[in-house]
Amino acid sequence: MLINGLTDTSISANDRGLHYGDGVFETVRRHRGHLPFLQRHLARLTASCERLAIPLDLTLLQQELSALLSQAPPDAIIKIVITRGSGGRGYRPPRESAETLRLLQVHPLPAALRVDPPRETQHGVRVRLCHHTLSTNPATAGLKHLNRLDQVLASNEIAGYSDSDLDQGFDEGLMMTADGDVVEGIRSNLFIVREGEVLTPDLVRAGVAGIVRGFLLERLPAEGLKVTECRPGMNELTAAEEVFLCNSVFGVWPVIKLVENATVHSWSIGPVARKAIELYQTTLTAHDNSLQV
Amino acid sequence: MLINGLTDTSISANDRGLHYGDGVFETVRRHRGHLPFLQRHLARLTASCERLAIPLDLTLLQQELSALLSQAPPDAIIKIVITRGSGGRGYRPPRESAETLRLLQVHPLPAALRVDPPRETQHGVRVRLCHHTLSTNPATAGLKHLNRLDQVLASNEIAGYSDSDLDQGFDEGLMMTADGDVVEGIRSNLFIVREGEVLTPDLVRAGVAGIVRGFLLERLPAEGLKVTECRPGMNELTAAEEVFLCNSVFGVWPVIKLVENATVHSWSIGPVARKAIELYQTTLTAHDNSLQV
C-alpha cells in the first residue's frame, strides 16, 4: 500500500475522506501485468476530482502507480482512493488547498476470476432485488465518490456475496430508488435487451457511471446494436429478453435469475450478453501474448 | 484525540469509514465542563449504530469520553466518530465483526460562541439558498452518518462560513432536495412559523434528525406552541412569519435574511425564535453555578 508515495498502512484521523466521504475512488483490474482499462479509469478519476474541486496531480499519481505495480502480482485488483486530505472547519474545505490524499492498494484477484472464462460469465448469475434503496441526487449522480453507505447496507442483503457460490446465495444485488427506478447492481451497472433494443439506466438521478458501462456504450453500436439510456422500472426489467451486469473487475455477468421477494424471474443467456462478454474479454486479454509483466 | 482509548492521530487506511462512509458521528458541545445534551447524543448514536448494525460498547465509549474530557478545556466541541472498522470484501461488512472504530476528538469552541449571547443569536443570521441539492433516501434519512459529501459541496457556496462575519458572506446555507423540498441547513435544522403554527421539515426523505430539533419538538409544546412536521417548499418558507435554525453547537439562530439567487427575503426575530433561544440557553447553562469542571 502506498500513501502519497510512501509505504504506509495508516492515514490521518483528520482525513476528510473519513469524516465526510470527501473523495472518490477507482477499482482497476490488472490482468497479466497490464491494466487494460486504465486510461478510462484515469479519465473518470480526473473528471470526478475536477467536479469536486479536489486537486489531483495525475503525473505524480501515475508514478506512484508504477512504483506500486512493480511490487504487485501480475493479476490483481488495484484500488485508488483520492480524498481532499485533512483540514478545513467542519464541512467546508480549507481555503488553501490541503494536500490531496492518494491511497493506492493492491488486493488479490478473486479466485473465481482466475478461471477462464469465469463460471459466472459462462453460466450466468443469481441476483436479488435489494430492499435497501439507492439515494438519489442529480448533483452527484454518476460520480464514484466515497459516500457508499447504500452499497454497504444493500450488500448485507445478499449472503454469499463475492464468494460466487451459486448454491449459497446471490452473486449480486440489484438496487432501485425509492421511486421504483431500477438503477444498477450494488457494484455493477445494468443492461437489458427489450425487443432487440439495448437499454441501460441513465444515471441522471442515481448510480455510478461505470467503466465497462461506458466501454459498452461506445463499442456495442459498432456491432450493429443501438444502445439507449432510459429509466426502467421493474416492469420493463422483467419483460426484458436479456439482462446482464458489468463492472471492470468481473467484466460481464449475464443474469439468469432475479429473486424479487417470493417471485423468481428467469432469463437465458442471449446474444447481446455474449457479444458484451466477447468485447470485454478481447480488451482484457489483448496483450496476453506480449512480454510486459 | 483518542482512538479506541489510545492517544493517537492516525487510523488504518483500510477503515470502512474512509472507504465507504460506513459509520456515524456526533458533535457535542462542552460548556463550562458540562455536556448538557450528552444523553441525547448518546441515545442517537446508539440508535444509529443499531440501524447500521455496528456494534457499539457504550460503557467503553463513555469511559474513553471521560478520559478525553479530563484533558480537554471546559468549553470545547467534542467530535465522536464511530465506524464499522476495517475488513470485509468490498462493500460487504465482514462476517465476523471487525473492531468498531471509536474516534474522539476535541476541537476549540469557535470564538463567536464565547460571547454571551452570541451575536448571531442576538441579531440573527444571513443565509443563502444553496444550489447543491441534498440526496434523498427514506432508508437512511435522519441518520447522522458519514456520507456528507452534499454538505461539503454546499458549504463551498457560502463564503465566510463558520467565520460568522455578517459583512463578508453567509452564516449558513439552506438546502433543498432536487424536488424542491426545503429540508435543513448545511449543519443545522430548520423551523418556520406560519400563522402562529411552528413547523419543521419531516426528514422522511432527507436530512439529519438533529439534537436541538428533537429537544425543541419536545419542549416547545409545554410553552403552548404546537409543532408540526411537514414538507415545506420555498413558497411556504418565504410566507413564514419567523424562520430559525438550530444545532447543538450554536444553539438557535434566527434567520433575518435569505438570499435566493438575486432575491432577498427578510424576517425580524420573532417570539418563537426567542422562546427557542431561551430553552436552549437555559439547558446549556443549567449547571453554570455548579462546581464541576
Side-chain angles (χ1 to χ4, degrees):
Chain A
M1 178 150 54
L2 286 181
I3 299 177
N4 289 7
L6 301 174
T7 302
D8 204 343
T9 58
S10 62
I11 63 158
S12 164
N14 289 318
D15 193 88
R16 298 176 61 89
L18 169 69
H19 288 266
Y20 312 121
D22 190 6
V24 292
F25 72 109
E26 296 287 332
T27 308
V28 184
R29 180 165 176 182
R30 189 183 207 202
H31 176 78
R32 302 199 183 170
H34 293 276
L35 302 166
F37 292 94
L38 180 63
Q39 291 317 310
R40 289 177 186 270
H41 285 287
L42 293 181
R44 179 172 66 176
L45 192 63
T46 303
S48 302
C49 285
E50 276 173 15
R51 245 178 90 182
L52 300 184
I54 295 177
L56 177 64
D57 185 334
L58 193 62
T59 307
L60 188 56
L61 179 72
Q62 286 178 293
Q63 287 166 2
E64 292 166 358
L65 187 58
S66 295
L68 182 87
L69 292 174
S70 69
Q71 309 280 325
D75 292 291
I77 310 293
I78 312 300
K79 186 166 183 181
I80 304 172
V81 178
I82 304 292
T83 83
R84 204 184 303 273
S86 297
R89 296 173 82 178
Y91 294 126
R92 190 167 198 218
R95 284 171 199 219
E96 319 221 327
S97 287
E99 191 186 11
T100 301
L101 181 84
R102 299 177 306 277
L103 170 65
L104 299 177
Q105 293 179 313
V106 181
H107 295 283
L109 191 74
L113 291 174
R114 295 180 184 275
V115 182
D116 185 23
R119 184 167 73 165
E120 294 81 356
T121 295
Q122 200 172 8
H123 299 294
V125 294
R126 279 165 47 100
V127 171
R128 176 178 174 167
L129 184 68
C130 295
H131 293 286
H132 185 84
T133 49
L134 269 180
S135 298
T136 64
N137 195 354
T140 50
L143 287 173
K144 200 170 172 78
H145 54 61
L146 294 172
N147 281 201
R148 293 290 151 212
L149 190 55
D150 286 335
Q151 284 71 25
V152 170
L153 296 175
S155 69
N156 268 329
E157 295 185 45
I158 52 168
Y161 173 83
S162 90
D163 291 344
S164 305
D165 189 329
L166 290 180
D167 300 326
Q168 291 196 358
F170 298 96
D171 301 287
E172 175 63 314
L174 205 57
M175 298 188 72
M176 302 171 78
T177 67
D179 305 313
D181 301 328
V182 181
V183 179
E184 61 187 5
I186 296 171
R187 51 178 174 145
S188 59
N189 286 113
L190 170 70
F191 283 79
I192 67 179
V193 183
R194 271 202 79 182
E195 297 169 10
E197 195 183 12
V198 188
L199 303 168
T200 189
D202 63 14
L203 314 184
V204 168
R205 300 177 69 234
V208 173
I211 294 300
V212 177
R213 177 184 182 275
F215 168 79
L216 292 176
L217 278 169
E218 266 180 46
R219 300 291 289 275
L220 286 173
E223 306 292 328
L225 293 160
K226 186 182 161 202
V227 190
T228 308
E229 294 181 85
C230 65
R231 203 168 297 171
M234 275 303 285
N235 286 343
E236 286 75 38
L237 180 71
T238 55
E241 293 112 57
E242 293 187 44
V243 177
F244 58 93
L245 300 169
C246 60
N247 81 13
S248 58
V249 169
F250 65 60
V252 177
W253 277 356
V255 175
I256 54 169
K257 284 213 188 310
L258 170 64
V259 177
E260 177 193 12
N261 298 315
T263 307
V264 180
H265 308 278
S266 298
W267 292 273
S268 49
I269 303 176
V272 179
R274 289 192 202 285
K275 177 53 71 182
I277 290 167
E278 181 194 321
L279 288 171
Y280 174 83
Q281 293 291 336
T282 301
T283 299
L284 185 72
T285 60
H287 299 278
D288 272 10
N289 295 321
S290 75
L291 289 173
Q292 188 189 332
V293 173
Chain B
M1 176 150 57
L2 286 180
I3 299 177
N4 289 7
L6 302 173
T7 302
D8 205 343
T9 57
S10 62
I11 63 158
S12 164
N14 290 317
D15 193 89
R16 297 177 60 89
L18 169 69
H19 288 266
Y20 312 121
D22 191 5
V24 292
F25 72 109
E26 296 288 333
T27 308
V28 184
R29 179 165 176 181
R30 189 182 206 204
H31 176 79
R32 302 199 184 172
H34 294 276
L35 302 165
F37 294 94
L38 181 63
Q39 291 317 310
R40 289 176 186 271
H41 285 288
L42 294 180
R44 179 173 67 176
L45 192 63
T46 304
S48 302
C49 285
E50 276 173 14
R51 245 178 91 184
L52 300 184
I54 294 177
L56 176 65
D57 185 333
L58 193 61
T59 307
L60 188 56
L61 180 72
Q62 286 178 291
Q63 287 166 4
E64 293 167 357
L65 188 58
S66 295
L68 182 86
L69 292 175
S70 70
Q71 309 281 324
D75 292 291
I77 310 294
I78 312 298
K79 185 165 184 182
I80 304 173
V81 178
I82 304 292
T83 82
R84 205 185 302 275
S86 297
R89 297 171 81 178
Y91 294 126
R92 192 170 196 215
R95 283 170 199 220
E96 319 219 329
S97 286
E99 189 185 10
T100 301
L101 181 85
R102 298 177 306 278
L103 170 65
L104 299 177
Q105 293 179 313
V106 181
H107 295 284
L109 191 73
L113 291 173
R114 295 180 184 274
V115 182
D116 186 23
R119 183 167 72 165
E120 293 82 356
T121 295
Q122 200 173 6
H123 299 294
V125 295
R126 278 166 48 100
V127 170
R128 177 178 174 167
L129 184 69
C130 296
H131 293 287
H132 185 84
T133 50
L134 269 180
S135 297
T136 64
N137 194 353
T140 50
L143 288 172
K144 200 170 171 77
H145 53 62
L146 294 173
N147 281 201
R148 292 291 151 211
L149 190 54
D150 287 334
Q151 283 72 24
V152 170
L153 296 177
S155 68
N156 268 329
E157 294 185 45
I158 51 167
Y161 174 84
S162 89
D163 292 345
S164 305
D165 188 330
L166 289 178
D167 299 325
Q168 291 197 356
F170 298 96
D171 302 285
E172 174 63 315
L174 205 56
M175 298 187 73
M176 304 171 77
T177 67
D179 305 313
D181 301 328
V182 181
V183 179
E184 62 188 4
I186 295 171
R187 51 179 174 145
S188 59
N189 287 113
L190 170 70
F191 283 78
I192 67 179
V193 183
R194 270 203 79 181
E195 296 169 11
E197 195 184 11
V198 188
L199 304 167
T200 189
D202 64 14
L203 314 184
V204 168
R205 300 177 67 235
V208 173
I211 293 300
V212 178
R213 177 183 181 274
F215 167 79
L216 291 176
L217 279 169
E218 266 181 45
R219 300 292 288 277
L220 286 174
E223 306 292 329
L225 293 160
K226 186 181 162 204
V227 190
T228 308
E229 294 181 86
C230 65
R231 203 167 297 170
M234 275 302 285
N235 285 344
E236 286 75 37
L237 180 71
T238 55
E241 294 111 55
E242 293 185 46
V243 177
F244 58 95
L245 301 168
C246 60
N247 81 14
S248 58
V249 169
F250 65 61
V252 177
W253 277 356
V255 175
I256 54 168
K257 284 213 187 312
L258 169 64
V259 177
E260 177 194 11
N261 297 314
T263 308
V264 180
H265 309 279
S266 298
W267 293 273
S268 49
I269 303 175
V272 179
R274 289 193 202 284
K275 177 53 72 181
I277 290 167
E278 182 195 320
L279 289 170
Y280 173 83
Q281 294 291 337
T282 301
T283 299
L284 185 73
T285 60
H287 299 278
D288 271 10
N289 296 320
S290 75
L291 289 174
Q292 188 187 332
V293 174

